[in-house]
Structure formats: C-alpha cells, structure tokens
Amino acid sequence: MHTQYMNETPNAAAMNNSPLWLLMVAAICYAAPALAVLGGDAASVETDRLQMKVAQAASQMPAASGSYTVHETILPTGTRVRQYVSKAGTVFAVTWSGPFMPDLRQLMGTHFDTMIARQAQNKHAGRRVYSQHDPDLVIESGGRPRHFVGRAYLPGALPAGVTGQDIKQ
Amino acid sequence: MFSKRQSFICVRTLALWIAVVAVMAGCGGGSSQTTSGQGNISVSVIGLPANSSVVLQNNGGNNLTVSANGTSSFNGAYTISLPYSITVLTQPHGATCTVTSNSSGVIPNAVVLVGVTCIPNTVNGTLIAPPPLSTPGNSTLIALDAGPVAGASQINIPYVSITVCPPGTLGASLACQTIGHVQLDTGSSGLRLLNSSLYANLSLPSVNASGPAIGECVPFAIGVTWGSVVLADIYLGGEVAKNVPIQIIGAQPGGVTAVPTDCSNTGTIQITQDALGANGILGVGLFANDCDICSTQVIPAAYYACTSAGCTNSIVAASQVVRNPVDALPVDNNGVVIQLPTVAASGASALSGTLFFGIGTQTNNALVGTVYATDAFGTITTTYNGSIYTSFIDSGSNGVFFNDPTIALCASTTWYCPSSTLPPLSAINTAAIGATAGNVSFSIVSLFQLSSGAVAANIGGTGSSNFDWGLPFFFGRTVYTAIQGKPAPPGGTPGPYFAY
C-alpha cells in the first residue's frame, strides 16, 4: 500500500522557485566556519547554536579543575546539550538529555557516521540502548520517546586528569 | 515521458550551475572551504531486486543509474560546500527505494555516502472482515518466538497480533488485515506498522484528508522509524479502537522518496523487517499519544507536511498525532497489564503470556501491586551499587541495560557474559512522585551460554546513564502501565505510573 511513483522529482519542482536559487547563492558566498562537532574547535559550539536555532548563547561553566569549559544549551524542544571544550579549544565530549533526540550529526560530525554504520549491523542491540566503547570513541545513547540521554567523547582527547566519569549529561 | 522531462531538467540545471560558478567567482576571498577541493557523492544501495535498476539524481539532474546493490558514485567532481540533494527519479520494477541517509546537505571535504534502501513492493492479499467483538474482550496473547525475519532469531521481543481496518469498516466488509509479530512496547505510545508487511490492497486513508500528506519521524536510541501517518480502526483482542492515527513505517508520505535530513541525522533509518525484527510496534506506554507539543510547536525530526515538493517540518492538529490505541478504546482504556512467566537460567525456546487492556476495569485486570508514579517524562529512579539512575520499565528493551563494570562483557559486544552464575543482583526502585520504594532482585545470565534457540532469557548489557528495566523485568511478574491522567482503577490513582 501507499506505493506511489513520482512523476516529478521534488527537486525539479523546487528548481522552479526562486528561493532555491537565492539559497544556493547564499550558501556559496557564506564563509562557513568549521562544522561543528565532537573533535572540532570551540567555534563549532556557536555554529551548533545557530544550526539548532537556539536564541540564547550557550552558558559556560568552567570545570573545577580549570582544564575545560562546559557549554550548555537548551534547545527549543527542551533538550539540554552540553559541549565540553578543552583549554586547547577542542570539543572532546558532547552530551544530551531531554524529551527529544537532538541532531546527532550536528553534535558528533563524522563520528555520527560511525554510529549509524554500527547501528545498522546491531541485530541484537535492543531498541533502547546504543553503546560503543572503542579505544578512540565512546558513545552511549539511551532512552525512549520523551526521555533521551546520551554522551559521546574522545578518550584520546580528554584533558589531563579528566575521565569518562566527568562527562555528565 | 520521463526522458523528455529529464532533458528539460538537465538544461535548467546546467544553466543553474553556470550561474552558480559565476556567482562563486564574484564572492572573492571567502572561506577557503568553498574552493579548497573536490568532494564526491557515493551511494550505497541495499535491497535492489535482481535484474532491475533505480535512477537517482543530484539536484534534479546528473542522473545515476544503479543496477546492483553496493556502492556507486555520481560521475563528476563536486565542489566542497555546494548544496546537493539526492532523489529517486525512476523506481525499479518490483520495489520502492527511499533515500535513507545524507539525502541532502552541502558537499563535505570528504566523500559523502548517501544511503538508499529498496523494499519489495507490497502485493495484494486476501482481506478479511472485522473480527468479532466480545465481552470482556480485554485480553490478547503475547508470544515470544524467533520472530518474522527468515534466517534470524530474535530474543526477548514480545509479539502480539492485531487487525487493522479502514475507519468505519462495517460487518462483513472484507477490508481488514491481521498482522502478527507486532512488538509489544510499553516504552512508546502509538501503533507503527511496516508498509512492507501490509497488503497493497489494504486501504488506510491519510490522517489529513484535505491537505498535504503527513510524515512522521520517530527517533529511538538504536534507530529511527520514518513513514506516513494514516487512520485505522485497530482491533485489539475483542475490542476496537476506532479512527486512530498510526504510523506506516517505510511508506512515502506524498510520494516523497527521501527521508528528511533532520530525521536521518538522529540515527540509522529502520524501514525494513530485518532492521525492526518485527512487523511493527504496538506502543502501549504511559501516554495518550506520541507527542503532546507537536500540535503547537514545530519540532525537528517529528511531524512533516509532505507534497511532491518534499517534506517540511510542521505542526499537526492534535487529532492527527499518532495515538496510543489503548487510550482510544471505548472501555478498558486506562492502561495495560502484562503477565509473562518466569524464565530459567538457560533461557526459554518459546514463551507466552497475556496482555490485558484496562487496569481495575474487569475481574481479570485488578490492580495487585505497588504503584510507582513516574514524572512527566515517564521515568522513576533506580538505586544500584550506591548510585542513583533515571530509570523506566520497558517491554521494548530486550535486556536489562545498566552499567556495572564488575560484570564481564561478551567478546566484541556490549552484552554481559558473566563467566559463572552471578548471585542475584539487587536494586531499589523509587517512585518519581511520593516516597514509594522497593527492592528488586534480578539475575543476569551470559548471552553466550544460553541454550540453543533461546528466545527469552534474563540477559542484560551496558547502558547509558539510565537504568533500563527491559523485558526480563516482566518475567514472573504482573506489570501495570497506566496512562497519564486516567484513574487506574477507575476512581483510583491516575497515571502515569508503573505498578508491579
């Protein structure tokens, strides 16, 4: 049921409208900062904020140890996102917690591709938990609709004295 | 007809790209990212039938014909940071293909891999009359078996059968289909059925008869269901929930063949029986629908209005939000009761139990147990090894998922494989509201030491920062899941709560 064949592709239709032209021109002239992510630089936190349509700048909380800063953002959906940025300016961890899943590609970048490739292979994984503990990448994502929590971090990029236990949602 | 249209598109596209290049030249001194190299677009196709091909396009042109499963590449070099959008121009014979990941965006400084999933077209089947109603008709069988996927054996997935009909189907009208192997899930709310498990001649109308088709994206932790929202009468046991919005997983709302990018950016898209391990999900959770605020606020990766031009994030009417079918029953609609037997340490090769509709509404579903009120997000707390976790009780989790570094892991997995039988473990569940608390004794056996063909077992694995009481919690218990705002039993404590 519900099988429909296209007689016009979505993009062919869109091409007839001028806004796409404008969008493409804008995209080309836009000097994009580095995208935005786990393993990216501190500027990516601001890119995330704009991408996720958050009005307020992330609040910053220096860690007690002084070796990193936590940038916390509340998305319009109510979900809280935290990005852990080292003094050297690297995003070494991201976390999320709230009623709706955030844009994980935006938060994790190429590591998201690692996750979905692994998800696609996981036949016995259960529907509520994704867990990956590799030497160079840890991802824990859990919950169900109305309650999602997760974190992803790069063990090799943790500042001295910081462990996975310090990465809290 | 297509070839004419294609050439028209190609001419327009060529003109567009010439214009784009001209504009680029005029940008001057922009980010080096716009000109620093060439990105490529590769496509990974799965499910394509033998001796058939699918034609894909980028930005409405640059046709790529794919005749075999695997990875192919669009011809030509692509400039980093220019937008791309992959769509299906021509479907293969006998299957329908959907762009399931990286459908659009800007060309990154690397190869972008676009996922395309093809599913065999549904075929007509023998439709049946609505099943007879009964009084009380508030129960149905739960069965655990190897599941519906040929060559794969599921574990700890509780299945039920349901029947769906077009809204208002009467008497002897042959318009309905019974679907077995639907996963029973207290962790979500709403019925979701795989399009590929439904007959082509089952005709369920769009939830939005007078406007654009409605698409829905539902992220779960392990993957995402995507499809269209339609209306159905749902027969559960001997009762019927009428005119209920449900999700058809893998159906293409408004004919749109690409999964919206914000949807595929939340996880891997699961639109096949192989990925789900079921023909659908019967969400009988703590809430009357799957999104309260979607009728007042546009939420990313949730509801979409879909036309031939594509899907856009949209609010939907409250009556169009996918609804918990139990909430829509005329009686016995305040929650569910699940009874499953105990399971031996070696696992069980088959298991059956009972799903009751209603709590305290009939003689067979009286509330006998302790009530643990949840918060507005459906969670309670669990104390384990001195740490306090947010937790929930969930028949849709196929293990108990929690973090205990002292328990050995099975090689190359995140499942627990204790080398010898663990003594019973202990945790304390505490209600989110009020002070109700109680001990839970539970066991974890090794996934790799189950008897051959086990489909139910007391298994577990590492978790997130949640404590997830999955299906093994239900073994040997009667577990109540009460819907928010509905007194259960009538006149008693309203949900949302778990009780056992």
Side-chain angles (χ1 to χ4, degrees):
Chain A
M1 57 172 290
H2 294 289
T3 303
Q4 296 185 30
Y5 289 90
M6 304 292 299
N7 57 13
E8 182 176 49
T9 68
N11 261 73
M15 285 286 178
N16 295 325
N17 299 327
S18 58
L20 184 65
W21 283 81
L22 293 174
L23 188 69
M24 294 179 79
V25 170
I28 291 153
C29 284
Y30 175 52
L35 262 188
V37 278
L38 186 60
D41 62 26
S44 67
V45 175
E46 177 67 5
T47 313
D48 278 350
R49 183 180 73 78
L50 296 172
Q51 288 278 343
M52 295 184 180
K53 300 184 173 65
V54 177
Q56 290 191 325
S59 59
Q60 298 187 23
M61 301 172 292
S65 70
S67 62
Y68 64 92
T69 304
V70 180
H71 298 249
E72 179 173 306
T73 305
I74 307 294
L75 304 180
T77 60
T79 294
R80 179 176 66 209
V81 167
R82 287 176 172 166
Q83 289 153 304
Y84 287 64
V85 182
S86 70
K87 271 174 107 170
T90 300
V91 179
F92 63 88
V94 296
T95 73
W96 58 95
S97 173
F100 294 92
M101 192 77 96
D103 186 328
L104 295 184
R105 181 185 295 281
Q106 182 70 28
L107 290 175
M108 294 200 283
T110 56
H111 303 294
F112 175 82
D113 293 318
T114 305
M115 183 183 81
I116 62 168
R118 202 75 69 87
Q119 282 181 334
Q121 297 167 3
N122 261 345
K123 299 297 182 189
H124 268 194
R127 303 202 56 73
R128 300 294 184 248
V129 180
Y130 175 77
S131 177
Q132 171 180 346
H133 287 245
D134 291 353
D136 57 345
L137 176 64
V138 172
I139 303 173
E140 295 172 348
S141 177
R144 77 281 182 277
R146 294 181 198 249
H147 171 71
F148 291 102
V149 295
R151 59 183 194 151
Y153 64 92
L154 305 171
L158 296 178
V162 176
T163 72
Q165 304 255 341
D166 297 311
I167 314 299
K168 294 186 166 67
Q169 287 92 347
Chain B
M1 172 186 167
F2 275 131
S3 58
K4 274 189 182 174
R5 179 146 194 97
Q6 275 169 29
S7 57
F8 172 70
I9 293 165
C10 288
V11 168
R12 282 190 65 95
T13 308
L14 181 62
L16 178 67
W17 285 104
I18 290 169
V20 160
V21 170
V23 170
M24 281 182 66
C27 287
S31 160
S32 61
Q33 290 223 344
T34 57
T35 55
S36 64
Q38 305 286 303
N40 287 301
I41 303 175
S42 288
V43 182
S44 172
V45 177
I46 60 172
L48 189 64
N51 303 317
S52 66
S53 56
V54 56
V55 182
L56 304 171
Q57 291 190 314
N58 176 34
N59 292 330
N62 196 197
N63 291 8
L64 172 65
T65 301
V66 179
S67 302
N69 289 305
T71 303
S72 313
S73 294
F74 274 90
N75 284 325
Y78 291 88
T79 302
I80 291 166
S81 90
L82 287 188
Y84 75 93
S85 177
I86 307 302
T87 50
V88 177
L89 175 67
T90 309
Q91 295 285 2
H93 288 295
T96 300
C97 302
T98 300
V99 186
T100 47
S101 64
N102 288 348
S103 61
S104 63
V106 295
I107 306 282
N109 190 10
V111 175
V112 59
L113 185 61
V114 177
V116 174
T117 301
C118 305
I119 299 173
N121 287 340
T122 57
V123 295
N124 289 348
T126 304
L127 297 177
I128 59 171
L133 302 180
S134 57
T135 306
N138 70 321
S139 67
T140 194
L141 178 73
I142 302 170
L144 278 77
D145 60 20
V149 181
S153 182
Q154 311 297 328
I155 190 163
N156 285 348
I157 309 279
Y159 296 111
V160 296
S161 282
I162 56 123
T163 300
V164 289
C165 308
T169 301
L170 294 174
S173 177
L174 302 178
C176 310
Q177 182 181 352
T178 298
I179 299 105
H181 282 126
V182 176
Q183 180 177 14
L184 175 64
D185 183 17
T186 62
S188 68
S189 294
L191 176 63
R192 305 169 204 288
L193 295 174
L194 273 176
N195 190 43
S196 54
S197 298
L198 301 178
Y199 294 141
N201 51 332
L202 175 69
S203 180
L204 302 179
S206 168
V207 74
N208 192 29
S210 60
I214 304 295
E216 192 193 14
C217 174
V218 184
F220 292 89
I222 190 64
V224 186
T225 66
W226 159 255
S228 56
V229 182
V230 303
L231 290 171
D233 288 352
I234 307 165
Y235 287 78
L236 303 166
E239 301 186 356
V240 58
K242 290 191 169 175
N243 213 33
V244 180
I246 69 174
Q247 184 190 29
I248 305 298
I249 300 168
Q252 299 176 335
V256 176
T257 59
V259 178
T261 300
D262 64 347
C263 181
S264 59
N265 281 0
T266 59
T268 197
I269 300 295
Q270 298 185 319
I271 56 176
T272 65
Q273 191 189 57
D274 182 51
L276 283 182
N279 290 323
I281 302 167
L282 177 63
V284 294
L286 297 160
F287 303 97
N289 63 46
D290 72 357
C291 185
D292 293 321
I293 65 173
C294 289
S295 58
T296 55
Q297 182 181 343
V298 175
I299 301 289
Y303 284 89
Y304 302 79
C306 301
T307 67
S308 60
C311 292
T312 53
N313 301 101
S314 178
I315 61 169
V316 289
S319 62
Q320 296 172 331
V321 174
V322 168
R323 184 176 181 188
N324 184 335
V326 176
D327 182 71
L329 291 172
V331 293
D332 305 317
N333 56 21
N334 56 1
V336 295
V337 186
I338 291 174
Q339 281 181 340
L340 289 170
T342 56
V343 172
S346 59
S349 59
L351 198 73
S352 61
T354 307
L355 168 66
F356 296 97
F357 305 105
I359 297 171
T361 56
Q362 307 282 351
T363 55
N364 61 14
N365 62 9
L367 176 61
V368 181
T370 305
V371 170
Y372 293 84
T374 76
D375 60 15
F377 307 107
T379 67
I380 57 176
T381 61
T382 295
T383 306
Y384 179 74
N385 275 355
S387 295
I388 299 174
Y389 299 89
T390 300
S391 65
F392 48 86
I393 298 170
D394 177 21
S395 69
S397 297
N398 65 346
V400 178
F401 297 108
F402 63 109
N403 285 327
D404 184 340
T406 70
I407 306 177
L409 292 176
C410 314
S412 304
T413 81
T414 52
W415 290 96
Y416 288 131
C417 272
S419 53
S420 58
T421 305
L422 287 178
L425 303 172
S426 179
I428 301 168
N429 280 347
T430 304
I433 299 165
T436 303
N439 278 302
V440 180
S441 177
F442 66 106
S443 61
I444 295 293
V445 302
S446 169
L447 176 71
F448 286 178
Q449 290 174 20
L450 301 176
S451 58
S452 174
V455 299
N458 288 291
I459 52 175
T462 60
S464 57
S465 57
N466 289 320
F467 198 111
D468 176 354
W469 292 109
L471 195 73
F473 182 87
F474 292 75
F475 298 156
R477 286 192 171 91
T478 300
V479 180
Y480 303 77
T481 303
I483 295 172
Q484 184 176 40
K486 292 200 161 180
T493 305
Y497 73 70
F498 299 116
Y500 55 90

